Amino acid sequence: MFDKKTIIKGVSFMNYTYKNALLPPMERTLNLLSLMTLEEKVGQMMQISYNMVNVTEAEQWVKNKFAGSFLHALGDNADRLQELALSTRLGIPLMFGIDAIHGHALLNGATVFPSQLAMSCSFNPSLVESAGRVTAREVSADGLHWTFSPLLCIGRDTRWGRINETFGEDPYLIGLLASAIIKGYQGKNLSDPGSILACAKHYIAYGESTGAKDAYDTEVTLRKVREVFLPPFKKAVEVGCATFMTGYQSIDGTPMTANKKMLKDILKDELGFDGFVVTDWNNTGSLVDKQKVSPDISDASKKAIESGNDMIMNTNDFYGATLKLVQEGKVSETLIDDAVKRILNIKFKMGLFDAKKRRGYISTDVIASKEHQEINLELTRESIVLLENKNNTLPLNNIKKIAVIGPNADSIQAQFGDWTFFSHPDPNPEAVPNFEYYTMLRGIRELAESKNIEVTYHKGCDIMDKEDIDIEGAVKACEDADVIIAVVGDCLAMNGEFKDRATLDMPGSQQELLEQLKKLNKPLAVVLVNGKPLSIPWIAQNADAVVETFNSGTLGGKALADILFGEFNPCGKLSISFPYHSGQTPVYYNHLPGWHSPKYADLSTAEPLYSFGYGLSYTSYKYSNLTLSKTSCSSKDTITVSVDVTNIGKCDGTEIVQLYVNDVISSVMTPVKELKGFEKVQINAGETKNVSITLSVSDFSIVDADEKYVVEPGDFEIMVGPDSRDASLLKEVLTVF
Ligand code: BGC
């Protein structure tokens, strides 16, 4: 590569402004663009999937067609391709993308964080940012540049296979955590060695597809897009997220790839997004063979370009089709220039032309380093939610023997969840992580043994395998135990793309297993290891304690054990509602008013089983003295809301104080309440803390029938409490004039 001295001295580089690292990225971009042939430009728009081509084809894509990017190429394969790219006429480096969704987890040996859904229960933007930083360092050490994360879809219908990838159901929380992780990935400067590109996906309303059928049609209006789905993406633009990925779905019959209004008009022109848009996997090809809005790849490519897609993931026919379209004058070259300009500008901004973005610049020692594990443990502990704790069953106390039962007690695959080397890119059920990890069993066993408590284990049954059942054996293993810890849930086969569910019941024979364990009349603590909320009213009623861990990653077992034995006081709160029954989905707290019925005729309540924001602790808190700094103000004002929170229990704890707002009367229906702020506060036993949250009244805007953002004068209920349920919230009224 060029060091600064060579560049400055290099008179012969006069025409090669783009090689001068001292010049601004856009100047270098424009120079490079002016030197490129049409073939080189369209090549930059191509993202080739390494697993879909053979080695020779991959090399040809670089040498002959000047591909701009690869996804899922790792290690030596990536290095070899990069060498080739640097040796082409203009030496434009490749950009390597990877789904490092919760850690650089496609790499066996890297830190695996809790899934996005799990980490969102921490309500801790600062720790989520740190997780992003750690991931960025590990991805960079591996010589890669770009993660296809975070996912900003709203998790409403929990039958959807990708619920585990969401930050839950609330647009405000999603926007906040997404901004945090984006900052973590991208660091202070994109050009820093440990910074990678983030990708806000899947733009937009992808999770809302009808019947929770992944990548299907979405029945949302533009007003609803603006009100519910756009705000998190807007935040991503504001924090400088460098790339966006489009969804597989369509909105009202228009596939996202062909949706100029959403991509060009709203994202690029209105929100001012100046990074580049990548399609999802073969989105362009799908216009022809799945969504059937294009007769052939030529029409599909034209639509993709004209709608505002810049980089094309895994539709390799796009290359030839687009060359022809431009050569025949059917697509203007200025559109190609705009896409390539965006891509190159990011390449320059991130210092891709410099050696520090290559493998070897950051030592691979950072991968799963001690420091990274410490951050992971902190986040994992804060991500776990205590859902039930009857008669103070937890923390465990005065026991001599524990029976750990259940198919997820010792399953690292189930614990890791989706987007790890178990699930992608090649399904490899035999994979064994080559680093220290803690299944639930291991975590419990180590901590129990250090306290001279005996642990027995029995799997009881498998989740999917109908032959692998030994409930009798499991019951027997509990005979002389003082407490039973049943670790149940779901598995990879029930989460992820192509894995939407019709029911949300506890799969396999686990329900029967639990019912038999219950008959033993011993304290029964249920630990859930699952990708999504399951409908578990029986467990809620019958278990003495319930702990939700979702997919908790490498250190799930260690964090769980800390909680079970009271070394850590649980403080996570649900970022997503749990239905009583799958027929109740979608069920979410920020719903509209006006349902004719108070509830479904065959369910006892309209409420979810567990609500958004809910979670217990080993202590309890009392809320009092809710005060507004003013009770009437203009829409341009800010107000400060304060409340006293007292820890009335016997141990210190951390509480997530939540603030909701309801626009009492509005010109269009608005949600019964919406989260507008929260504070996570540490409060010692017996202590009272005065917690203040400042709000901009402009954030109370609604999207009116003309799709305009307006704060309508009138009353707003300001509600503060420990969760989203009406009965938990103190309320005051603010009048906006
Ligand atoms: C998923 C994306 C992912 C991409 C690349 C697609 O199937 O929808 O979320 O980033 O594959 O792996």
Side-chain angles (χ1 to χ4, degrees), residues 160 188 302 375 398 438 681:
W160 185 38
K188 284 205 180 62
K302 183 169 173 2
I375 293 169
N398 272 335
Y438 276 80
V681 276

Side-chain angles (χ1 to χ4, degrees), residues 175-210:
L176 205 69
L177 298 181
S179 310
I181 207 162
I182 290 166
K183 284 191 215 150
Y185 290 141
Q186 298 195 164
K188 284 205 180 62
N189 280 308
L190 272 180
S191 60
D192 290 344
S195 294
I196 57 172
L197 303 175
C199 183
K201 72 185 190 185
H202 306 84
Y203 186 80
I204 184 172
Y206 169 53
E208 194 69 3
S209 52
T210 311

Side-chain angles (χ1 to χ4, degrees), residues 396 399 401-404 444 448 453-456 481 483 485 565:
L396 298 171
I399 48 163
K401 187 166 178 184
I402 303 174
V404 177
I444 295 170
I453 299 169
E454 198 187 327
V455 174
T456 55
V483 61
I485 298 176
F565 290 97

Side-chain angles (χ1 to χ4, degrees), residues 71-72 99 148 162 201-202 245 248 280-281 313 419 497:
L71 77 149
H72 294 183
D99 290 274
F148 305 129
R162 305 189 72 172
K201 72 185 190 185
H202 306 84
M245 187 189 291
Y248 281 133
D280 203 341
W281 175 277
M313 184 193 288
W419 293 106
E497 290 180 65

